Amino acid sequence: TSSSRGGHSGNAAGARSQSEGGGRQMFDKNELRLVRRDVFLEALDRYRAKAFAEASRAPSPDLAVCTLRPAEQAVRIYARKRPMTEEEHAKRRDFDVATVLRGQPLPTKLILHNCLFQADLKTPFINHLGFEFDHVFGEDAKNHEVYRLAAFELVLGAREGG
């Protein structure tokens, strides 16, 4: 008789047969998330709607005229959220699990939504993990905006011998 732990099943849900011992089922977590995709998407939509409603009270900055003031610290940390590819959407049925929250004067917070299940593998829940940066660029940010805010001063300083 084989152990009820380990191994990988070949069927779509990743379930092992009952005859393999122990009566346990093994699931691939990614496949399980896709099976409950709609539940997670609905919860993410509610979270984002609430977060954006709270942030909408603050005006959105015009990136064409906005520049960051020189930082007091020597190192600045930036994050840029990339758009999801067509392959991720259509073929793999992935869903967006990162949210850039508005900030003043610019976004500085990135939320990663960790879509998980309780130990029973039936009860979904989401951990919302927040990360602070000097600036976070959304998936619609243009390269010239990223350069202007993140690299312009650095390049200028290097050109001036700094």
Side-chain angles (χ1 to χ4, degrees), residues 25-63:
Q25 292 182 325
M26 299 298 289
F27 290 93
D28 174 63
K29 293 177 184 178
N30 291 326
E31 184 66 28
L32 195 57
R33 274 191 285 270
L34 290 178
V35 168
R36 301 297 302 271
R37 181 180 197 270
D38 293 338
V39 172
F40 285 122
L41 287 174
E42 183 180 320
L44 291 173
D45 287 344
R46 282 194 313 267
Y47 179 90
R48 288 178 176 134
K50 181 180 177 186
F52 292 149
E54 292 171 2
S56 69
R57 297 180 199 122
S60 182
D62 181 3
L63 292 178

Side-chain angles (χ1 to χ4, degrees), residues 2-148:
S2 66
S3 168
S4 63
R5 295 180 184 221
H8 184 292
S9 173
N11 67 10
R16 292 178 54 168
S17 72
Q18 295 280 340
S19 64
E20 290 188 33
R24 288 188 180 187
Q25 292 182 325
M26 299 298 289
F27 290 93
D28 174 63
K29 293 177 184 178
N30 291 326
E31 184 66 28
L32 195 57
R33 274 191 285 270
L34 290 178
V35 168
R36 301 297 302 271
R37 181 180 197 270
D38 293 338
V39 172
F40 285 122
L41 287 174
E42 183 180 320
L44 291 173
D45 287 344
R46 282 194 313 267
Y47 179 90
R48 288 178 176 134
K50 181 180 177 186
F52 292 149
E54 292 171 2
S56 69
R57 297 180 199 122
S60 182
D62 181 3
L63 292 178
V65 297
C66 186
T67 57
L68 295 175
R69 283 180 257 142
E72 293 177 12
Q73 67 274 15
V75 176
R76 287 185 257 175
I77 307 296
Y78 298 93
R80 183 178 189 182
K81 179 184 174 189
R82 70 166 176 80
M84 292 186 66
T85 65
E86 183 61 34
E87 179 181 343
E88 291 169 325
H89 275 297
K91 293 181 182 175
R92 296 187 352 212
R93 297 188 62 226
D94 285 343
F95 50 95
D96 187 5
V97 294
T99 302
V100 177
L101 296 181
R102 273 194 191 156
Q104 281 294 349
L106 296 168
T108 60
K109 193 164 189 174
L110 176 70
I111 307 295
L112 291 180
H113 310 284
N114 195 4
C115 301
L116 302 167
F117 287 88
Q118 296 288 343
D120 64 5
L121 298 179
K122 295 177 184 177
T123 309
F125 70 98
I126 302 175
N127 278 338
H128 305 283
L129 308 169
F131 298 91
E132 291 282 338
F133 297 90
D134 290 301
H135 180 63
V136 178
F137 297 95
E139 60 192 306
D140 57 345
K142 306 290 186 238
N143 286 340
H144 71 273
E145 295 169 344
V146 174
Y147 173 78
R148 181 176 192 164

